[in-house]
Amino acid sequence: ILGKFRPIVNQCCHQCTPDSLVSRKNLGQNSSLGFRNLLSINETQTRYRGWLVRRVCFALFVSGRKVYGSPVSNRLERLCQSNRVREAFTAEHEASEGGDGQGQLRLLFVGWAMLKMFASVFYSIEVNLNHLSALHRVSQEGSPLVYVYMRQSIMDCALIPLVLFCHNLRVPYTVYPLQINILQKVGVVLLPPSAQTEQDAEMDSLYSPVMTSLVRELLHEGQAISVGVSPESGQGGQWLAHIIQLIKEGSVPDVRVVPVGISYDCVPNTNVQVGLRSVLQWMMSFLWRKPKECVRIHFVLPFSLKEMCESRRWRVDEWLPLQDLLLPVILKNRTESVFGKRRMSWLLPSSHYASELEEPGHPDRNLSVAIIHHLIFSATSCKAVMATSVVSSLLLYRHRKGVSVSGLCRDVDWLIDEILLRNRDVGFGGTLANVVHYSLSLLGPHLIIAAAPSREDPLIVPRPSFAATLHLFVQAQAVRHTFVVEAVGACAVSAMLCEVAFSGVKEDMEFNVVLCQSNLTERALQLCHLLPPGFVPPCQSSQNFALDAVDSLVRCGILIMEEIPRDVPICDFWKKDGILTWTTTDDPYHSDSDCEEQDLRSYKISQPSRCPEMLFFLCSMLAGHLRALCWTTMGLDHIDTPLASMCTELKIRKRLCCVLTLLCLCSLCSIQVLSEERHEEGVLLGVSPLFQLSENRQKLHRFISQYLFN
């Protein structure tokens, strides 16, 4: 399959950056380049041959890499003389920087050490050579590059510089909250010694102007920067806001942004205390272990950040708080949703020293949040779907009670086709049997594999434990993102079926009911406001997303259109009150459903005689996030408030994973279920007066649980 069709996953957004897309149209599409395993280094990649070369080929390969030195040596002096830093701090500082030759030697040694370390952790690190050839051509144009990726582990900040170093590209300055001073010598920007997290650092009035000036100096020198962003906590977003601010001020002419998708077979467990000793101990644990996991890295085509800022095409709906979008619907004060986009203000954490920019509706803040959101979506969309993600999603969403190996192979073959049809690449190859065997070997600790003597086909069942479910949930994230449009539509159908079932309809209806398109779209629109960041691009309206969610179920064969007799002839369809209406097809998110009268369209489930498996498979994909919201809502009855936000988070984490905890708290704060009070000791969370009433909490629980398929 992959030999005939390889999806192109590195295109930049055609709506927000059309000029960049046109100028890069022919880049990175040379299908003959293929992939390269970064850890597969032999004598052919050096200038030498022989048995001795084969034993030291790693060192010889690294010694032949190109290291880009800094063109200036007085960066710290210029940093202290900048207006931003002078206004915040007037003391004089003196410092000396190492020579260029010493820095190159240090970087070569670190590159060799990282290759050896990753060779003991991963079986392969594969990169698409088409993407790297495009980066080579763009880097020659002169504009500095900014790499943006989603934080998954401490491995992320090392993988991107290593890939670029091995392919003779400029190694970026990496922003990551580590406290390992030796890494500062090789371009890692550290937090202040007094700060444990980035949020602690932002509370320092000197930190922001110094970091903004540092970013300005690095970009003026032509240096590259690598920034990791967390969609749950918003950490890392402040760095992107600094770069956007410099673009708007004109301090930096332009930068080229490169979203990076990093896919792991199994995300490394890097939950270690940040520090040199703990990181070394964690690295030593891999030395006596045979590596199995693979990593796939994709680079999106670089696009102009200035073009995205000036085009303003990233905003198609009015940005509204979640409480304005959903609260009247939840409390039954309004039946129809307000058209708008959810404001995800936590993607740009606030700090006490900022002034009017911290207001939620400030245009500059909205611009930064929208671009951060868009970059999260781009980095997530270009990630390859790994074999463990395919198998995990099938075991978690389709075969929770178990499946035979032969049945799993059939479903894996089907799901791979569906993924490729949605223009998502996969990070594996080989025969179907080898792919399934490889995935089961990695997921083995979280599965029960039973083989009876009377049958040759073993049975595979996920372990009935929270740890196993959580691991499969994390691994299946790439598949959830691939099918999110269909999943939203399926949950909307499920909500309407539940409403019909609870309205007293006879039990033998067998799903043979007619569903109105306007009601389906309304349910899908309300659900999309609850999705985490990264699933819906900000440049697509929520209404179009909801319409596409319903249309996608027709394409999947789950829904079929129900013909309803019309009172007017079909030739008069376009006439309304004597006015001929037109619709444009230039909108990239244009849906065919925009061209018809919504009230005259309705659907029926295509398989009324039995429960359609595909419908319930899609419904289950969003069940984890929705169930976490339900658990958090019910848990408010057992938490004494107000509590510090950290204490509330720890209490809820007893039942939820860390990622879902942060997303649930952000959503409940956005709906004004939880209220925030800022004090000197931190942020205190309390239940708002409106939801201190048990009746309103029950309404919120019913609203969320209607989308859960039981």
Side-chain angles (χ1 to χ4, degrees), residues 589-604:
Y589 298 105
H590 169 74
S591 174
D592 291 341
S593 52
D594 296 335
C595 304
E596 302 184 17
E597 295 181 356
Q598 306 297 325
D599 295 336
L600 295 180
R601 299 187 66 178
S602 59
Y603 302 95
K604 292 181 68 174

Side-chain angles (χ1 to χ4, degrees), residues 98-117:
D100 195 37
Q102 183 181 357
Q104 292 186 11
L105 267 179
R106 191 183 296 118
L107 190 57
L108 291 173
F109 172 76
V110 171
W112 171 82
M114 288 171 60
L115 278 173
K116 300 297 289 186
M117 180 197 73

Side-chain angles (χ1 to χ4, degrees), residues 387-403 407-416 419 436 443 460 462 472 476 479 617 620-621:
T388 50
S389 183
V390 174
V391 174
S392 297
S393 62
L394 289 171
L395 293 175
L396 190 62
Y397 304 137
R398 190 161 191 167
H399 302 295
R400 195 62 186 269
K401 296 182 179 180
V403 63
L408 181 62
C409 289
R410 286 193 299 269
D411 284 348
V412 167
D413 187 28
W414 162 78
L415 189 55
I416 291 174
I419 291 171
V436 174
L443 299 173
I460 303 170
L472 296 178
V479 176
F617 173 64
S620 301
M621 289 188 176

Side-chain angles (χ1 to χ4, degrees), residues 84-89 192 194 199-212 242 351-354:
R84 284 189 179 88
V85 177
R86 280 186 172 183
E87 292 175 1
F89 189 58
S194 59
Q199 293 178 344
D200 295 338
E202 292 290 344
M203 297 302 290
D204 186 353
S205 59
L206 185 61
Y207 181 78
S208 182
V210 169
M211 291 300 104
T212 304
H242 294 324
S351 52
H352 79 282
Y353 61 84

Side-chain angles (χ1 to χ4, degrees), residues 71-89:
V72 294
S73 59
N74 60 340
R75 181 187 302 148
L76 185 58
E77 180 181 349
R78 291 184 288 112
L79 186 65
C80 293
Q81 291 177 354
S82 66
N83 294 331
R84 284 189 179 88
V85 177
R86 280 186 172 183
E87 292 175 1
F89 189 58

Side-chain angles (χ1 to χ4, degrees), residues 325-337:
L325 295 170
L326 290 182
L327 200 55
V329 178
I330 294 172
L331 300 180
K332 305 299 183 184
N333 296 334
R334 188 183 68 223
T335 57
E336 296 182 354
S337 298

Side-chain angles (χ1 to χ4, degrees), residues 166-179:
C166 291
H167 291 86
N168 291 327
L169 287 161
R170 185 181 293 275
V171 176
Y173 280 77
T174 303
V175 178
Y176 206 84
L178 296 174
Q179 293 288 358

Side-chain angles (χ1 to χ4, degrees), residues 155-172:
M155 292 284 194
D156 306 331
C157 65
L159 281 171
I160 296 176
L162 181 63
V163 170
L164 300 176
F165 169 75
C166 291
H167 291 86
N168 291 327
L169 287 161
R170 185 181 293 275
V171 176

